[in-house]
């Protein structure tokens, strides 16, 4: 009853202040989709992406085949492109499976409805400056997540070409350890924890700044393109 009262007061204020006619929605369900409290899931998604892609270019280098591949047309161009495509496909599959399980679990346990409601109906997103419905917001959110993970994938491939699979996997620990330390109570590590930033929604909720999210997305998009170029130069 208290939740309904609080939501009624919030919707009234939303209408008076911003002229937005909000809906009654299940706040807990959508907060779960925004990854509140799902840090471990975020860590496994990033770690799994890096683990899957770190070995794609490792075998040839490990067995000293790079020089041979550079002497063939297929090895120099076609094979590189196919490996990058495989890396992106693996990342996309992992992302789709994770997202489907996430949405399916929340829908099964808590129920999901109200996707056509204004996004500001979710109290945690009252700061969001764009007028759109909840469904459109989550589509944009998942697309941004996917773009960022592809950027991480491209960087992982480039890193494994320049170093080795072991170093690429070590890179994932560099990303994950500060977040784990923050989870167990070392608050100072929150400032160097990048997992929430990579998974977008926790970063958005912390900063309440859509410009910062757009900046991060552009950064990882450009990082992905540059990583592919650098990887190609080192491979070919």
């Amino acid at each position: 009853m208290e939740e309904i009262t609080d939501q009624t007061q919030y919707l009234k204020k939303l209408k008076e202040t911003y002229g937005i006619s909000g809906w009654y929605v299940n706040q807990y369900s959508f907060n779960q989709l925004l990854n509140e409290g799902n840090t471990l899931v975020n860590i496994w998604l990033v770690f799994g992406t890096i683990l899957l892609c770190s070995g794609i270019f490792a075998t040839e280098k490990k067995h000293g085949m790079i020089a041979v591949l550079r002497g063939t047309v297929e090895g120099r161009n076609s094979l590189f492109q196919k490996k990058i495509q495989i890396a992106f496909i693996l990342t996309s599959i992992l992302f789709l499976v994770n997202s489907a399980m996430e949405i399916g679990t929340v829908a099964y346990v808590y129920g999901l409805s109200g996707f056509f409601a204004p996004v500001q109906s979710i109290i945690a997103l009252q700061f969001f400056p764009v007028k759109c419905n909840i469904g459109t917001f989550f589509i944009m959110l998942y697309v941004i997540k996917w773009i960022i993970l592809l950027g991480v994938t491209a960087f992982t491939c480039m890193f494994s070409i320049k170093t080795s699979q072991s170093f690429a996997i070590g890179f994932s620990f560099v990303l994950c350890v500060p977040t784990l330390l923050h989870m167990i109570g070392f608050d100072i590590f929150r400032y160097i924890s990048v997992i929430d930033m990579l998974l977008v929604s926790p970063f958005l909720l912390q900063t309440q700044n859509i410009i910062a999210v757009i900046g991060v997305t552009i950064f990882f998009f450009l990082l992905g393109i540059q990583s592919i170029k650098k990887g190609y130069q080192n491979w070919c």
Side-chain angles (χ1 to χ4, degrees), residues 142-152 217 220-221:
Y142 280 99
V143 169
I144 290 173
K145 282 184 180 183
W146 179 60
I147 291 171
I148 290 176
L149 278 177
L150 290 182
V152 173
T217 306
F220 278 97
F221 179 76

Side-chain angles (χ1 to χ4, degrees), residues 39 42 179 182 193-203 206:
T39 306
N42 297 343
T179 304
H182 175 228
S193 171
V194 297
I195 296 296
D196 286 344
M197 182 177 68
L198 293 176
L199 273 298
V200 185
S201 47
F203 179 65
Q206 289 169 14

Side-chain angles (χ1 to χ4, degrees), residues 1-179:
M1 197 64 179
E2 185 179 346
E3 259 185 53
I4 296 175
T5 303
D6 291 343
Q7 198 168 163
T8 300
Q9 292 175 350
Y10 166 73
L11 293 176
K12 182 179 178 182
K13 181 181 177 182
L14 187 68
K15 178 65 175 178
E16 292 174 350
T17 306
Y18 301 103
I20 298 173
S21 300
W23 297 13
Y24 287 93
V25 297
N26 189 330
Q27 299 290 326
Y28 193 77
S29 295
F30 289 116
N31 285 341
Q32 289 297 304
L33 286 185
L34 287 169
N35 285 309
E36 282 196 349
N38 289 346
T39 306
L40 279 175
V41 176
N42 297 343
I43 289 174
W44 279 112
L45 180 57
V46 174
F47 181 76
T49 299
I50 295 173
L51 190 64
L52 275 174
C53 301
S54 60
I56 289 176
F57 288 91
T59 304
E60 290 84 356
K61 185 173 182 178
K62 183 178 179 181
H63 293 91
M65 294 295 294
I66 299 298
V68 176
L69 291 171
R70 284 175 177 169
T72 65
V73 175
E74 293 297 313
R76 292 173 62 87
N77 298 298
S78 180
L79 182 61
F80 178 84
Q81 292 172 9
K82 287 177 181 177
K83 282 177 174 286
I84 288 293
Q85 289 170 8
I86 288 171
F88 284 170
I89 289 170
L90 288 174
T91 297
S92 299
I93 291 172
L94 181 64
F95 175 72
L96 286 172
V97 169
N98 181 81
S99 300
M101 290 179 63
E102 182 179 66
I103 295 170
T105 300
V106 172
Y108 178 76
V109 177
Y110 307 107
L112 280 174
S113 59
F115 281 104
F116 292 101
V119 69
Q120 291 81 8
S121 300
I122 302 173
I123 296 175
L125 293 174
Q126 58 185 292
F127 64 88
F128 195 71
V130 181
K131 289 187 177 181
C132 64
N133 60 44
I134 292 173
T136 302
F137 169 81
F138 276 101
I139 289 171
M140 291 190 296
L141 181 68
Y142 280 99
V143 169
I144 290 173
K145 282 184 180 183
W146 179 60
I147 291 171
I148 290 176
L149 278 177
L150 290 182
V152 173
T153 297
F155 182 81
T156 301
C157 289
M158 184 271 293
F159 197 67
S160 66
I161 292 171
K162 292 177 71 70
T163 56
S164 67
Q165 183 179 14
S166 299
F167 276 98
I169 294 174
F171 166 65
S172 68
F173 283 102
V174 172
L175 291 179
C176 297
V177 168
T179 304

